[in-house]
Each structure stands twice: as C-alpha cells, then as structure tokens.
Amino acid sequence: MFQSVAVQETFLLYILSFISAFLISLLTTPLSKKIALMVGAVDQPKARGMHKEPMPRMGGIAIFLGFMITVFLITPLVKAFQWKQISGLIMGGSIIFLLGFFDDIYNLNAKLKLCVQIIAALVVIHSDIRIEFVTWPFAESNTLLLEKLSIPVTLFWIVGVTNAVNLIDGLDGLAAGVSSIAAICLMILSIISANPIGPVAAVLTAALAGACLGFLPHNFNPAKIFMGDTGSTFLGFTLAVTSVQGFIKGYTAATIIIAVLVLALPIFDTTFAILRRIINRRPIMEADRGHLHHRLVDKGYSQKRAVITLYGISGGFGIIGILIAQKDTQIALGVFIAMAIALYMITKNKKHA
C-alpha cells in the first residue's frame, strides 16, 4: 500500500513538472518576443531561409525559464534528488543559454561558441555526469568500460548533440517538436528503469518536454517567433546531459546506443551534413540547404508537411529505442522496416501538392 502511494506521488511529480514547464513557457513566450525586439535579436530574410519577413529569434528564453523554474521547484521533492548533479546541469545549461542569447544578438564566432560549449560540458562532467560505459543492448555481458575515455566521450557527446539540435532548427516548429519527442522518449526510459535515480531524470525530461510544447504554439508554422540559438543550443545541451548515464546510471538499456536512437534525427542529419561539406571541400560550420528538412521543402513539401513528416521519423526512432531497451528486438525491427517503407513512399515523388 505504501509503495503504491509512493508511486502515485512520483507520477504526480512528473505531471506537475510537465504542466509547470508548459504553462511557464507558453505564458513567457510573448515576453521573449518583446526582449528580442528590444535588443535587436531579429532574424533577417536570407537566401537559404524559409521566411520573407524579419522574425524575432529569442523564444528560447521562454523554454529556458519553463525548464529552469520547474527544476528548482520540483526536483528537490524527488527522493533520489542529488544536488551536485542538478547544479552541474543548471550551471552548464545557464552558460549555454547565455551563449545563445548573445549569439542571437551579435552572431558570435563559431570557434568562440565551440570553446564556451566545451566549458559548459566540462562543468557538467565535473559534477559527475558522464558516460562511464557502453552496453550493447542485445547482450548484457557485452559491456565496454570507458575508464579514461569517459571524459572525452562525454564531452564529444554533449557538444555534438548540442550542435546537432541547433542545426535542425531550420523550419517552423521542427526543433521544438523533435526535442519534445526525444524528451518524452527519454522520460519513458527513465520511468521504466529500475534505477533509483530514474525519477530525477523523468522529472527533468518531463519539464523539458513541457517547455518545448509550451513554446510550440507560437513557433509552429506560421511562426510568430523563432527560438534562436538561445533555445536550440539549450535544448540540445539539456537533451545530451539528461540522456547520459550520470542520470540513468546502471540501467543497461539506457546506454549511449539507445540515446543515439532516441536522438537519431538530429544526429544523423548533422553527421551527413559534416560528411557532405568535407566531400565538397566546404567549411564544416558553413550553412547550406542540404539538411533533410531543406530537401523535403525543395521536393515540394509545405513547411507543415515537412515538419510533421520529420516528427514521424523522430517518433519512430524513439519507439525503436524504447523497444530495444525492453529487448523487444523483433518488434523494433518491424517498426524500422515500416518506417523505411513509409519514408520511401513519401519521398519517392519529386513534387507534392
């Protein structure tokens, strides 16, 4: 009986986290728009862009406030709460937020941004949030201890995912929607884990999903505001941190391999973008129209249809990750095949009405 009451209370915290972050983000987005216009953080129309008119680009302020206020209010109520790790996430996330804030105003140098991202990641690593081992989910005994490689691998993961989410922020509602899907999948993984620290990760990911979805009504096509680097890099950073084993440590299924599947869309799109630019002998940080979302629009998709298609792909990969975590490999394979067929059918025609 007491265990049942404790479970109900924990689930109530998940719901409160989501609702709190959702409402704060929803209600503070207009404030974000006013701040963006006040400081001159406005996205001007450009050749590879999708908008013809200037657009304020600091909606990430609302996402940040929704997430951080909720974390301060809810996480101390969780029994497995560990201040050292939470403080690492808060400090690192705040650094990334400030970096994005000033980047949206001044268009900072790429090397400077990378250095600051590394510093933020090191703050998180110093708080004992790191990838200590990788487990192949199909064989429990096949575990690779990273030992001395733990720090560089975690650093690469956090910085990589931070920039991956930033790079998919090319269509109205895309980054916010994909990030919310990834956060919900990570939340489910945290809830079904037997690890004592799972409830903390579930609260964090519930808050992140709520903050994204609270912003989405203002950002879905036709968008009234962009999240900017203020939001996209913060989302990527927070997803990266909450997906590593510092929060769901010891849960075999929640390995980096499963996290890669949950975050497959931004990771694969960014990987192909880097390879494409290397092959074409272009700077890796140079923007182009070769991303998957651009390709769909160039095939004749409307922004809404392209975004919804990518939501489906992201959600499909998230489901595959959860199924593999539960060792339902045959069902996971079936979902993957169905996704591949559906994607082929959707994209085989050159133009769509």
Side-chain angles (χ1 to χ4, degrees):
M1 178 179 176
F2 292 110
Q3 185 176 3
S4 177
V5 172
V7 170
Q8 290 177 3
E9 290 178 349
T10 303
F11 270 90
L12 180 60
L13 291 179
Y14 303 155
I15 295 170
L16 286 175
S17 296
F18 179 88
I19 293 174
S20 170
F22 178 89
L23 291 176
I24 293 170
S25 179
L26 180 68
L27 296 175
T28 57
T29 299
L31 173 63
S32 302
K33 185 175 181 178
K34 290 181 180 180
I35 294 174
L37 294 173
M38 184 171 60
V39 299
V42 178
D43 191 76
Q44 300 296 332
K46 43 186 174 288
R48 71 181 193 91
M50 304 304 299
H51 283 265
K52 306 299 181 183
E53 298 179 0
M55 186 72 65
R57 59 180 181 189
M58 269 192 180
I61 294 174
I63 296 173
F64 176 81
L65 290 175
F67 178 79
M68 286 297 185
I69 292 173
T70 299
V71 167
F72 275 110
L73 291 176
I74 305 296
T75 52
L77 303 178
V78 183
K79 290 183 179 180
F81 172 76
Q82 295 182 12
W83 175 246
K84 184 176 183 181
Q85 292 190 345
I86 295 297
S87 64
L89 172 60
I90 291 172
M91 291 174 62
S94 297
I95 291 170
I96 291 295
F97 167 77
L98 290 173
L99 174 65
F101 182 90
F102 288 109
D103 187 37
D104 282 337
I105 302 173
Y106 301 111
N107 292 316
L108 302 176
N109 178 274
K111 292 181 179 179
L112 172 62
K113 290 191 287 186
L114 179 61
C115 289
V116 176
Q117 289 171 1
I118 290 172
I119 291 171
L122 289 174
V123 168
V124 168
I125 292 169
H126 181 68
S127 66
D128 291 337
I129 300 172
R130 62 189 66 177
I131 304 166
E132 296 180 347
F133 58 87
V134 176
T135 302
W136 181 245
F138 305 109
E140 284 195 35
S141 60
N142 190 10
T143 300
L144 174 64
L145 294 176
L146 295 178
E147 297 180 345
K148 292 182 179 180
L149 291 176
S150 175
I151 291 177
V153 168
T154 306
L155 180 64
F156 178 80
W157 172 253
I158 294 175
V159 174
V161 174
T162 297
N163 287 286
V165 175
N166 182 37
L167 288 175
I168 67 164
D169 186 27
L171 296 180
D172 294 351
L174 181 57
V178 168
S179 295
S180 63
I181 291 169
I184 289 170
C185 291
L186 290 172
M187 179 186 69
I188 293 171
L189 282 169
S190 302
I191 291 172
I192 63 179
S193 75
N195 187 49
I197 236 170
V200 177
V203 165
L204 292 170
T205 45
L208 192 63
C212 290
L213 292 175
F215 173 70
L216 195 55
H218 300 276
N219 184 236
F220 198 73
N221 185 261
K224 303 177 186 68
I225 184 172
F226 294 158
M227 67 170 63
D229 279 16
T230 307
S232 60
T233 52
F234 174 74
L235 285 178
F237 182 86
T238 308
L239 282 169
V241 173
T242 53
S243 66
V244 303
Q245 287 145 322
F247 282 117
I248 25 187
K249 195 173 181 178
Y251 178 40
T252 304
T255 63
I256 202 68
I257 296 171
I258 305 302
V260 167
L261 284 170
V262 172
L263 296 164
L265 181 62
I267 289 173
F268 292 159
D269 187 51
T270 300
T271 300
F272 290 138
I274 292 172
L275 292 175
R276 181 176 63 249
R277 291 164 191 171
I278 291 174
I279 292 171
N280 294 329
R281 298 182 179 180
R282 306 294 299 175
I284 290 177
M285 301 302 291
E286 182 181 77
D288 60 25
R289 280 188 64 88
H291 292 285
L292 181 56
H293 54 272
H294 288 133
R295 291 177 181 271
L296 290 176
V297 171
D298 290 342
K299 280 181 173 290
Y301 281 67
S302 66
Q303 280 206 55
K304 286 182 180 178
R305 184 171 183 178
V307 167
I308 291 172
T309 298
L310 294 172
Y311 285 174
I313 294 172
S314 183
F317 274 115
I319 291 170
I320 291 171
I322 293 169
L323 288 170
I324 291 176
Q326 293 296 94
K327 299 183 180 178
D328 294 327
T329 53
Q330 292 184 338
I331 300 176
L333 180 60
V335 172
F336 179 78
I337 293 172
M339 278 181 56
I341 294 172
L343 186 59
Y344 171 75
M345 296 299 292
I346 290 171
T347 60
K348 69 175 183 177
N349 297 322
K350 290 185 177 180
K351 291 291 178 181
H352 296 263

